[in-house]
Amino acid sequence: MSGKPKLYYFDGRGKMESIRWLLAAAGVEFEEEFLETRDQYEKLLQGGSLLFQQVPMVEIDGMRMVQTRAILSYIAAKYNLYGKDLKERALIDMYVGGTDDLMGFILMFPFLSAEDKEKQRAFIVEKATSRYFPVYEKVLKDHGQDFLVGNSFSWADVHLLEAILMVEEKKSDVLSGFPQLQAFKARITSIPTIKKFLEPGSQRKPVPDDKYVETVRRVLRMYYDVKAN
């Protein structure tokens, strides 16, 4: 294994994108191997690299890690993005968990039919503005600090910014009623490592397109239709 973490996934967002975000936020360079064929995937399976027969998989520090949450937790702890004590870590886990729920509504969006996409778009915006964003708006307002936990930049902030940008792709003015989150977005996007990741030419992936969807379906043999929430 090389010194840099190596990411095994498709050339698109999916569950790997949050891992890319967190490594980038920590200023860590990484390599990627994109799965384009079923043979590549089966080779990983036969080699025993995919513990639960699924990707993402990340090679880091002599380990081959699977399970997205485990990978993210390890990266956050390794690069001091996981709070200073157990209480802060619990808060980070709680906020990340909530953000994960919201992002889960978006994850399968590219695989929906055109009709279901319109329904899901409305569903995502409604959930973001009524259930999730109000929580973070209140947290930031109540403690009056720049970051979600302990007034220090953490995994929770990275994850929330990623989610905000994903929802803004569905409705550009979705933060219009959330002044604290507007200010939060401005602060976090100005952090040098984040700013660099948001620039053209970075390893951040674009909105999933038909090519990405077709590749995922072919490699994973997804023959079923995904339904909207």
Side-chain angles (χ1 to χ4, degrees):
M1 297 181 187
S2 69
K4 296 179 182 178
K6 187 171 182 179
L7 284 50
Y8 293 80
Y9 201 67
F10 308 99
D11 187 9
R13 291 183 182 176
K15 290 190 174 183
M16 185 65 87
E17 190 70 354
S18 292
I19 296 169
R20 298 185 186 105
W21 265 92
L22 197 57
L23 286 168
V28 178
E29 295 184 357
F30 56 88
E31 300 174 351
E32 299 189 77
E33 180 171 318
F34 298 126
L35 301 180
E36 298 175 343
T37 67
R38 180 70 185 183
D39 285 346
Q40 282 177 286
Y41 180 65
E42 289 184 348
K43 185 176 179 180
L44 289 175
L45 288 174
Q46 292 164 7
S49 296
L50 305 183
L51 193 62
F52 299 105
Q53 303 178 26
Q54 61 192 25
V55 287
M57 191 266 281
V58 174
E59 290 182 350
I60 185 171
D61 294 341
M63 300 183 291
R64 289 187 173 93
M65 295 192 70
V66 295
Q67 291 296 330
T68 308
R69 188 60 181 261
I71 297 167
L72 288 166
S73 296
Y74 181 82
I75 294 168
K78 179 178 173 69
Y79 296 106
N80 300 314
L81 294 170
Y82 213 174
K84 69 178 186 298
D85 55 31
L86 191 60
K87 182 177 180 180
E88 288 192 359
R89 182 168 294 195
L91 290 173
I92 290 169
D93 282 338
M94 183 171 67
Y95 296 146
V96 166
T99 310
D100 256 346
D101 290 345
L102 173 58
M103 292 166 78
F105 299 138
I106 304 172
L107 186 64
M108 298 309 293
F109 185 86
F111 299 88
L112 299 173
S113 67
E115 180 182 356
D116 279 347
K117 279 182 179 178
E118 290 311 306
K119 295 177 183 177
Q120 188 72 353
R121 189 187 310 275
F123 179 85
I124 289 165
V125 171
E126 193 278 327
K127 290 300 180 186
T129 55
S130 68
R131 179 184 294 184
Y132 296 99
F133 287 174
V135 171
Y136 303 115
E137 181 79 4
K138 185 176 188 301
V139 169
L140 292 165
K141 183 177 181 179
D142 286 353
H143 66 37
Q145 298 174 336
D146 289 345
F147 306 103
L148 284 173
V149 179
N151 205 27
S152 296
F153 183 48
S154 76
W155 173 21
D157 302 305
V158 180
H159 215 52
L160 178 56
L161 177 63
E162 182 188 1
I164 286 172
L165 297 181
M166 289 170 73
V167 179
E168 284 186 329
E169 289 169 350
K170 303 294 179 270
K171 189 175 189 294
S172 60
D173 64 348
V174 72
L175 290 186
S176 60
F178 301 96
Q180 295 293 331
L181 287 180
Q182 292 176 42
F184 170 85
K185 176 189 169 185
R187 286 194 299 272
I188 304 304
T189 54
S190 69
I191 293 171
T193 55
I194 298 293
K195 185 176 181 180
K196 182 179 179 181
F197 190 59
L198 291 172
E199 291 174 350
S202 79
Q203 288 169 287
R204 184 187 180 209
K205 305 307 175 192
V207 176
D209 59 13
D210 290 343
K211 181 181 178 181
Y212 166 78
V213 170
E214 192 277 330
T215 301
V216 174
R217 286 187 179 276
R218 182 179 67 252
V219 173
L220 298 184
R221 293 180 176 169
M222 290 175 58
Y223 303 124
Y224 56 88
D225 291 329
V226 176
K227 299 298 183 183
N229 284 284

